[in-house]
Amino acid sequence: MLTPIRVRGKCRRNNRGGDDDTASSTPTSLTAATSSSSSNRPAKRQRRDTIPNGPSVGRRRARKPLSSLERLPVEIIEQILLETMNINLPLASPYLASKLSSRQLYLYFCSKAFSPPAEEEDTPGRFCTATAALLQSSILSRRWMNLDLWKRFSEKQVFLFAEGVQLPSRLLHPPFTSEKRDLLEIWIDHGASIDWTHSTAGEVATEGFQAAIVQGRNDMVWSLALLGVPITMEMLRLAVQVEEGITDRSFDMVVVLLAISAVLDDVGRLDLFDPALWKWVEEDSRKDKKLVDWMQHYITEQSRRQGMTRSTETSTSL
């Protein structure tokens, strides 16, 4: 009988009576799997980073070389902007936009743009320069021109609006924020307006007026009416119509519209005896009789004023 001899370095069988091939195949398969996975990792990375016969995806794009203007020191670029007063210079490139975006530069640019010419400094009111009006209108429309910047500028600077300054359309439509309201009121007080003939600002203002009625924004209704938005019977009926019944908000808006029409002397376009209006008044009077009394007083007063106006016009024509 032969005595088994253990040979050092040779793999031992896992199971008694098992096959040597089965025992030796396990480490071999693990080694093959490990080597295949390690060999596949660079391949996956290579497929992600590069495209065969194409440029590298992971590489950053080469920066566009700076122009001769962009290579100048920032101080000189700022001086060029202030000397030329070209408000579109920062739009020439993202590099110039980043370099010409300091708050102090904005304030100094506004101080030059809103200062009247030397020959008109002693003249009160507004000066008439088409170029100045265009520049000031462009400044008001910029994103960086917000309420905080305007307050800081106006508190330390004597300024005048040129005749013909146009308000930006962003102030005329919802959403109506407190900043929009304040800027609109301030700039209207200084003489800014909208162009009803050569732009779509009038249409935007009219749509914003209707939205302000629906939202119950009396402040925005007043500001937009000052810009020339007409108060028509359609506007008045819109104030009466609400989703579910009659609310106090609708009553306030109707009164506001009628009061604005009286202040602006524009009641002539309204039909104060409109059946829909008085039906609403009679229904609401069941809750509060003050509305009927107010409407009757309003109609009497406006009829008297219109009668005086007609008699004056008749005597003038005679």
Side-chain angles (χ1 to χ4, degrees), residues 77-90 100-116 131-132 134-142 144-145 149-150 153 157-160:
I77 300 178
E78 291 179 350
Q79 191 63 29
I80 293 174
L81 174 66
L82 296 175
E83 289 295 332
T84 61
M85 293 299 290
N86 183 4
I87 194 173
N88 294 321
L89 181 60
L100 300 174
S101 60
S102 67
R103 188 181 185 85
Q104 194 63 30
L105 183 62
Y106 291 153
L107 293 173
Y108 196 77
F109 191 89
C110 290
S111 66
K112 293 192 65 177
F114 286 90
S115 297
T131 305
L134 183 60
L135 178 60
Q136 292 179 2
S137 301
S138 299
I139 291 176
L140 298 186
S141 65
R142 299 295 168 171
W144 47 263
M145 176 50 71
L149 183 67
W150 179 260
F153 160 71
Q157 178 73 28
V158 178
F159 63 92
L160 289 175

Side-chain angles (χ1 to χ4, degrees), residues 57-76:
V57 178
R59 298 176 184 175
R60 293 183 177 180
R61 295 181 178 179
R63 290 185 177 181
K64 184 179 179 180
L66 298 178
S67 63
S68 56
L69 176 61
E70 295 171 334
R71 288 196 296 268
L72 294 175
V74 178
E75 294 78 8
I76 297 180

